[in-house]
Amino acid sequence: MTNTITTIATWFVSDTSANESAFPQVLGLRSSSSEFQTLYWHCIACFFASSRRFNRSERHLFFTNTDIPDVEGVDLRAWLEQLGVEVVPLPITYRLPRHLAPSFGNQFYILDIINHAARDPFAGNLVVLDCDCLWTAPVDGMSEEISRCDCLTYTLDERDRIPRDVPINGITRKQMRKALEAWCREYGMPDVSSLDEHLPYHGGEIFAASNASVKAIAARIDSLWAWAQVSRAGRFAFREEAHFLSILYASLGYPSDTARPFIKRMWTNLRHRNVSPSDALLPVWHLPSEKKRGFSRMFRRMRTVGLERWMAMSDQEHEKAARELMGIPHRGPSKFAQDLALKLRERAGLYQASFAPRLLRHGSRL
């Protein structure tokens, strides 16, 4: 077993109306809105409470470009302090123009985090996760795998309903592969022409690397970013952080799929679920569809019982609550009813929002 201490982190970027973008899992809300941001604060509170439960001696960091607010009567900064989370103020400096990245516009913040971590004198492993993740076990196994592989990759492919030749958020694997080769050739890096024409696509919900790999990745960020701004091939290199990191990982020769034993992107929509019973045993559940549902309900339950009492729950009680609230591995009748009622309210709200402008245009004729 490795004795390396692991830093566990997540992040939040507060967008303004000038740089807001869409996030499909919170349909109908722009990233600058208070409603959108409140959902993310719920996730952040749940993320750190679950991680601290299982990772009592690890260092916890929260990166953000904004102040920590009160959320629904909860002093969230005090909560983070109680959980031993260090808040790291960090501006976002990597963004694509909105016409190139109309969705997930602030996701390149991970590059600022990697650069910051490369300068950090702390020399342990780093695990950065999206805030809509829930910990259910210690980080120990993941830390050992980081020490063995240097950098973990969560590779998404046909198993995850992503065909080889279909664009992923606007970019195909072939385009990423061509960009990688052109960039490496221009900057005199090792030849990558022998790689498969379909570059592996690694999900951006997890960045997990040793200190040495953090530094190696950080050293290549600016050259790839700058090259993509001026190169014709670079225009089709990336539209999101997952494209960018996939290119960097390939340039450094990191193997595919090494994070899959520890995390899964679990879809829990009413119409699409990819959760199997064994998924409940994974150390990290990534739950993009639960931002409006499970995480908000968990936050409010924590608020009701109090953080101290919540953290004093046994692991068995916490597991029962997490499974019930998130619907893992199965959605119970109560959660189904709550989720369906929320979906119907959302649809009614979207219909009213689209109907109101027509009513104003046509007046009494409607």
Side-chain angles (χ1 to χ4, degrees), residues 32-60:
S32 64
S33 71
S34 60
E35 295 88 350
F36 175 99
Q37 296 187 8
T38 293
L39 294 176
Y40 276 77
W41 290 118
H42 290 168
C43 294
I44 290 158
C46 296
F47 174 92
F48 282 117
S50 67
S51 183
R52 182 55 80 189
R53 166 177 296 278
F54 297 103
N55 301 298
R56 299 186 182 277
S57 63
E58 310 320 303
R59 185 190 189 204
H60 284 76

Side-chain angles (χ1 to χ4, degrees), residues 42-349:
H42 290 168
C43 294
I44 290 158
C46 296
F47 174 92
F48 282 117
S50 67
S51 183
R52 182 55 80 189
R53 166 177 296 278
F54 297 103
N55 301 298
R56 299 186 182 277
S57 63
E58 310 320 303
R59 185 190 189 204
H60 284 76
L61 300 183
F62 175 54
F63 294 92
T64 187
N65 70 333
T66 192
D67 295 329
I68 313 297
D70 289 356
V71 178
E72 298 177 5
V74 173
D75 182 346
L76 199 54
R77 177 174 283 277
W79 272 39
L80 295 179
E81 289 176 355
Q82 189 174 340
L83 291 168
V85 178
E86 303 172 45
V87 177
V88 182
L90 188 68
I92 178 171
T93 65
Y94 296 92
R95 281 189 189 268
L96 290 178
R98 279 203 288 185
H99 72 277
L100 292 179
S103 300
F104 306 110
N106 59 33
Q107 299 291 294
F108 290 103
Y109 192 55
I110 186 63
L111 306 183
D112 289 299
I113 293 172
I114 294 170
N115 280 335
H116 181 277
R119 300 188 299 268
D120 191 336
F122 182 80
N125 296 331
L126 175 66
V127 175
V128 184
L129 296 165
D130 283 355
C131 65
D132 53 357
C133 289
L134 202 69
W135 286 87
T136 68
V139 74
D140 298 356
M142 191 184 298
S143 294
E144 290 180 13
E145 193 67 6
I146 293 171
S147 297
R148 189 178 72 84
C149 298
D150 285 326
C151 181
L152 304 188
T153 57
Y154 179 53
T155 310
L156 298 169
D157 51 29
E158 289 81 0
R159 295 168 297 180
D160 309 286
R161 297 173 61 175
I162 301 179
R164 285 169 68 85
D165 292 306
V166 172
I168 307 168
N169 293 326
I171 301 293
T172 67
R173 296 184 204 174
K174 284 186 177 181
Q175 287 173 317
M176 289 193 296
R177 168 66 176 75
K178 290 178 181 177
L180 167 67
E181 187 169 1
W183 169 57
C184 287
R185 185 170 57 246
E186 184 163 332
Y187 278 79
M189 288 189 284
D191 179 38
V192 294
S193 59
S194 62
L195 295 180
D196 189 287
E197 66 173 351
H198 294 84
L199 199 72
Y201 173 77
H202 308 299
E205 53 261 79
I206 180 170
F207 176 84
S210 66
N211 183 258
S213 284
V214 168
K215 287 179 165 59
I217 292 167
R220 297 191 177 188
I221 286 174
D222 285 339
S223 69
L224 177 56
W225 189 271
W227 171 83
Q229 311 310 308
V230 299
S231 167
R232 183 177 180 183
R235 297 174 199 168
F236 303 100
F238 53 84
R239 293 290 180 270
E240 56 166 26
E241 90 290 5
H243 301 140
F244 194 94
L245 290 174
S246 295
I247 294 170
L248 287 181
Y249 293 161
S251 77
L252 289 160
Y254 296 130
S256 296
D257 231 23
T258 49
R260 194 169 282 264
F262 310 104
I263 186 171
K264 180 176 178 178
R265 187 183 296 180
M266 301 183 196
W267 294 110
T268 55
N269 298 314
L270 289 170
R271 291 187 176 181
H272 172 46
R273 289 181 63 86
N274 68 343
V275 184
S276 63
S278 62
D279 294 337
L281 303 177
L282 292 170
V284 178
W285 302 347
H286 182 211
L287 302 162
S289 304
E290 295 299 326
K291 292 185 186 74
K292 289 184 175 181
R293 303 180 310 201
F295 283 105
S296 289
R297 293 168 195 154
M298 180 174 282
F299 173 81
R300 288 166 183 147
R301 188 175 293 188
M302 285 196 296
R303 181 191 62 188
T304 298
V305 305
L307 181 60
E308 187 171 345
R309 287 183 60 192
W310 179 267
M311 297 303 291
M313 289 169 51
S314 69
D315 289 346
Q316 291 75 18
E317 290 175 301
H318 180 267
E319 178 184 354
K320 182 176 183 295
R323 290 185 177 218
E324 169 196 313
L325 291 164
M326 302 300 176
I328 303 298
H330 306 291
R331 184 190 290 112
S334 176
K335 178 170 170 57
F336 176 80
Q338 290 178 307
D339 290 355
L340 180 60
L342 178 59
K343 177 60 69 176
L344 293 174
R345 289 197 301 272
E346 287 176 350
R347 287 186 176 179

